[in-house]
Amino acid sequence: EVQLLESGGGLVQPGGSLRLSCAASGFTFINYAMSWVRQAPGKGLEWVSAIVGSGFTSEYADSVKGRFTISRDNSKNTLYLQMNSLRAEDTAVYYCVKGRQFYESWGRGTLVTVSS
Amino acid sequence: QSVLTQPPSVSAAPGQKVSISCSGSSSNIGSEYVSWYQQVPGAAPQLLIYDNNKRPSGIPDRFSGSKSGTSATLGITGLQTGDEADYYCGTWDSSLSAGVFGGGTKVTVL
């Protein structure tokens, strides 16, 4: 059974940083691209970033480009999202997702709140 | 403003059918596979349809997907109260080099 467990969310001030982690199990992690998708309170889904299985290539939404960095440690089956220069509009539940072309498994999400 | 356009809401009586449209452009739906997701309140989204019309194991055949040109459609037949949820279409946009979603459609069972 595929399991994706996010951690690292919380309350941070504008301009601050957070690093999200996602522990993956139940599948061969290195064989799959992974993504982060977020959902602001009461809003729809927004794709944030994706990374290929090797970790060599990544893509970002324009809204986070230059501020967020996606990475992965295939030896630990873990996906990361380093978030810098956080803004109020980054407040959302962040989901770790298996896949890039389509999102076949989702974690429960971790809430990031950017507020002073 | 979402790249993909969905109706905000649709509704029907139990046992009836609903269709949810998803409109895009040549750089996304027109050239890429479409997927659909169901999100019940308080839960994470769940994959319903991938590659335009394929269902993951465990998804009943009451759910179907189709694509024509730059539009896609999700169909739900034999509507049940448990189908009340938000539904999202998604795909890749080759011009943006980014994943894109529709704004979501709320399905209400009358």
Side-chain angles (χ1 to χ4, degrees), chain A:
Chain A
E1 179 193 2
V2 172
Q3 290 196 337
L4 301 168
L5 184 60
E6 303 95 338
S7 60
L11 176 63
V12 61
Q13 292 188 340
S17 299
L18 273 179
R19 188 175 86 152
L20 305 184
S21 299
C22 171
S25 61
F27 63 102
T28 305
F29 186 66
I30 195 171
N31 287 352
Y32 290 88
M34 298 291 293
S35 302
W36 288 97
V37 175
R38 69 184 181 183
Q39 186 170 35
K43 303 297 185 182
L45 303 176
E46 180 188 13
W47 177 84
V48 174
S49 182
I51 187 168
V52 298
S54 66
F56 290 155
T57 303
S58 56
E59 294 135 328
Y60 299 90
D62 285 344
S63 58
V64 307
K65 202 170 292 183
R67 302 187 298 123
F68 290 13
T69 302
I70 191 172
S71 63
R72 61 193 296 161
D73 185 337
N74 289 335
S75 69
K76 295 182 179 179
N77 288 352
T78 302
L79 177 72
Y80 302 100
L81 186 67
Q82 177 66 44
M83 305 185 294
N84 299 330
S85 302
L86 282 162
R87 307 166 179 166
E89 54 264 36
D90 295 318
T91 294
V93 173
Y94 285 72
Y95 293 104
C96 168
V97 186
K98 178 187 176 191
R100 172 186 175 276
Q101 207 66 21
F102 63 91
Y103 312 112
E104 61 180 282
S105 299
W106 298 63
R108 291 188 171 187
T110 186
L111 176 63
V112 172
T113 303
V114 184
S115 174
S116 54

Side-chain angles (χ1 to χ4, degrees), chain B residues 41-65:
Chain B
Q46 176 188 19
L47 177 66
L48 280 181
I49 298 289
Y50 66 99
D51 290 357
N52 301 332
N53 55 19
K54 297 182 172 64
R55 282 177 288 105
S57 61
I59 301 299
D61 59 6
R62 299 188 299 107
F63 296 91
S64 64

Side-chain angles (χ1 to χ4, degrees), chain B residues 30-94:
Chain B
S31 54
E32 303 284 345
Y33 286 114
V34 177
S35 52
W36 290 90
Y37 306 87
Q38 177 193 61
Q39 186 177 32
V40 298
Q46 176 188 19
L47 177 66
L48 280 181
I49 298 289
Y50 66 99
D51 290 357
N52 301 332
N53 55 19
K54 297 182 172 64
R55 282 177 288 105
S57 61
I59 301 299
D61 59 6
R62 299 188 299 107
F63 296 91
S64 64
S66 64
K67 189 184 97 166
S68 178
T70 59
S71 293
T73 301
L74 174 71
I76 310 173
T77 59
L79 205 59
Q80 302 174 2
T81 55
D83 296 332
E84 286 202 329
D86 294 320
Y87 292 81
Y88 296 89
C89 58
T91 188
W92 189 259
D93 191 297
S94 54

